[in-house]
Amino acid sequence: MDALPSISEELYEPLKSWFSLAGEKPYRFRQLTDWYFKRPEVKSFQELANFPKALREKLERNFSFLSLSLEEAKPSPDGSQKQTLLLRDGFVTETVTMPMEGHYTVCLSTQVGCPVGCRFCFSGRHGLKRNLTAGEMADSLRCSLPPSGSESLNLVIMGMGEPFYNYKALKAFLNICKDGFGIGSRRVTVSTVGVLPGIERFAADFPQMNLAVSLHAPREELRRQLIPRAPSEIKELLPVLKKYFAATKRLVTFEYAMIKDVNDGVKEAKELCGLLSGFDCKVNLIPLNDVPGGEFKPSAKENLERFVNYLRERDMNVTVRRSLGGTVGGACGQLADKRNN
Ligand code: SAH
Ligand code: SF4
């Protein structure tokens, strides 16, 4: 295991001070961050062509270039690609890069495993192993950039883990996305299962980013069945989201996995309309993805259509998520390498 800190873990001040303490010119710090943010194909200090050999070697003695290594990039026939990234302690994090109309979307993880353990999600099957650091998140994004780089890139924090249970690192990482990778706030979406203090802090820290909330059921008892360790009750969650909207003017997206004969009936569609009536928001229905040993099945096509139509007829803003990455285990809820068990 490499004990040296990676440059991503030392952004920005510690790295900047290292250059000054090492007696190096301040512009070298800027050059190094340019290599890091603008040249994702570069994976070692030896490749820094405009650095003298002595400085490259000094950097090598003090830092590792990355906190993780790209073990595999697996393309799916639908054009998406799943990256498997090996962390220094042997755990694994995964990302998915998806081509969309006119842009790419990268989906990132924030934890190894997840403590919430939703019954339909593979990522939480073995509990939480550990949080990712901000540097590991930055490196996982760097290793997942599409050929066009970070330009016109959408970032969704919807991989493994509950982002708001790792808020400090998430915040540092989102700042690196803005200031380093140059990703516009409006292009970033964070998905939470409803961690209320996290939602409040996110509204204050990143009022221009987007928030998605995993709801999955319109009533408490059914939601608890699906998410036994849900961090909040629906009746506490909605007022916090209404305050979020009032403060940020950003529409909240409710994610709702469509599960056969569990939450996909007209009864639930009606309850969902009632619950969200008067709240300007979006609903994103996610056809359930298969997970190993999964106890649920995806809704039948007719039920999905009936649900969508019921909501649309009542003027709700509803979309159905196109599932990408399924054949390589990269779709929602499927991320979980067996080395994390
Ligand atoms: N932990 C956060 C973010 C990661 S999960 C959260 O739960 O919001 C991203 C989305 O994928 C969530 O809405 C989650 O409920 C959904 N998901 C999980 N497992 C799924 C599955 N098997 N099929 C479809 N969607 C799933
Ligand atoms: Fe965790 Fe989200 Fe999966 Fe639930 S759906 S187990 S909160 S990653």
Side-chain angles (χ1 to χ4, degrees):
M1 190 167 126
D2 191 347
L4 298 175
S6 68
I7 51 179
S8 58
E9 286 167 323
E10 298 295 295
L11 289 170
Y12 292 88
E13 277 314 313
L15 193 59
K16 204 172 180 179
S17 337
W18 181 87
F19 275 89
S20 106
L21 286 172
E24 296 293 340
K25 298 271 185 322
Y27 71 84
R28 292 290 183 198
F29 165 73
R30 209 194 53 243
Q31 282 180 328
L32 180 60
T33 53
D34 278 352
W35 281 108
Y36 180 79
F37 288 116
K38 298 185 186 151
R39 299 288 300 274
E41 73 283 8
V42 167
K43 300 274 180 347
S44 74
F45 292 116
Q46 289 312 321
E47 294 165 71
L48 311 186
N50 56 358
F51 277 41
K53 189 161 177 279
L55 177 55
R56 293 197 305 250
E57 287 173 355
K58 191 150 60 160
L59 281 163
E60 226 162 32
R61 285 195 300 277
N62 287 277
F63 302 98
S64 62
F65 194 81
L66 291 172
S67 61
L68 43 73
S69 56
L70 177 65
E71 190 179 69
E72 191 183 20
K74 207 175 191 178
S76 169
D78 62 25
S80 66
Q81 182 166 289
K82 180 170 99 167
Q83 284 77 223
T84 304
L85 302 152
L86 186 61
L87 302 165
R88 284 184 294 207
D89 55 7
F91 283 130
V92 167
T93 184
E94 294 165 312
T95 64
V96 188
T97 307
M98 297 166 276
M100 311 302 263
E101 271 166 45
H103 68 271
Y104 278 86
T105 295
V106 172
C107 176
L108 289 187
S109 304
T110 50
Q111 299 184 308
V112 177
C114 179
V116 185
C118 301
R119 277 170 61 195
F120 47 82
C121 175
F122 197 45
S123 303
R125 187 72 62 83
H126 298 281
L128 174 70
K129 299 302 170 189
R130 70 167 173 88
N131 284 331
L132 292 181
T133 66
E136 287 170 332
M137 291 182 227
D139 286 342
S140 61
L141 170 58
R142 190 176 187 270
C143 291
S144 310
L145 291 173
S148 51
S150 52
E151 250 169 64
S152 65
L153 180 85
N154 284 8
L155 187 61
V156 297
I157 313 295
M158 293 188 182
M160 196 190 291
E162 167 48 49
F164 290 163
Y165 280 156
N166 185 15
Y167 193 84
K168 195 166 165 240
L170 176 77
K171 179 175 171 176
F173 166 65
L174 293 177
N175 281 322
I176 292 172
C177 289
K178 285 198 308 184
D179 308 338
F181 289 106
I183 300 173
S185 290
R186 283 161 196 260
R187 290 184 165 273
V188 179
T189 302
V190 177
S191 174
T192 178
V193 71
V195 180
L196 305 183
I199 296 171
E200 284 161 351
R201 293 172 74 182
F202 183 67
D205 293 333
F206 303 103
Q208 298 195 332
M209 290 190 179
N210 303 292
L211 181 69
V213 177
S214 296
L215 187 63
H216 304 311
R219 55 180 192 275
E220 190 57 36
E221 147 274 308
L222 181 58
R223 190 165 188 262
R224 279 279 146 197
Q225 273 179 40
L226 297 171
I227 317 175
R229 289 191 288 279
S232 54
E233 292 191 7
I234 298 174
K235 66 173 190 297
E236 309 165 311
L237 180 58
L238 274 184
V240 170
L241 294 176
K242 287 179 181 166
K243 263 170 76 184
Y244 169 89
F245 178 61
T248 62
K249 301 282 174 290
R250 311 283 308 155
L251 291 184
V252 171
T253 299
F254 287 99
E255 295 161 289
Y256 193 107
M258 291 292 288
I259 309 177
K260 187 176 187 209
D261 301 332
V262 173
N263 64 356
D264 62 349
V266 173
K267 176 177 184 318
E268 283 76 27
K270 191 174 172 193
E271 286 173 347
L272 188 61
C273 284
L275 183 73
L276 301 181
S277 83
F279 183 30
D280 216 356
C281 62
K282 298 189 246 187
V283 174
N284 188 221
L285 302 176
I286 317 176
L288 189 79
N289 294 309
D290 281 332
V291 299
E295 53 184 314
F296 301 113
K297 294 267 167 290
S299 292
K301 201 163 164 264
E302 313 80 76
N303 285 18
L304 178 64
E305 276 167 15
R306 191 180 58 188
F307 205 93
V308 174
N309 291 338
Y310 189 98
L311 267 63
R312 288 220 171 112
E313 281 158 15
R314 281 146 193 90
D315 286 331
M316 291 191 60
N317 184 346
V318 51
T319 48
V320 178
R321 186 174 297 175
R322 192 161 64 103
S323 178
L324 288 173
T327 56
V328 291
C332 297
Q334 290 183 328
L335 297 179
D337 190 280
K338 59 181 179 304
R339 280 163 290 180
N340 296 339
N341 293 353

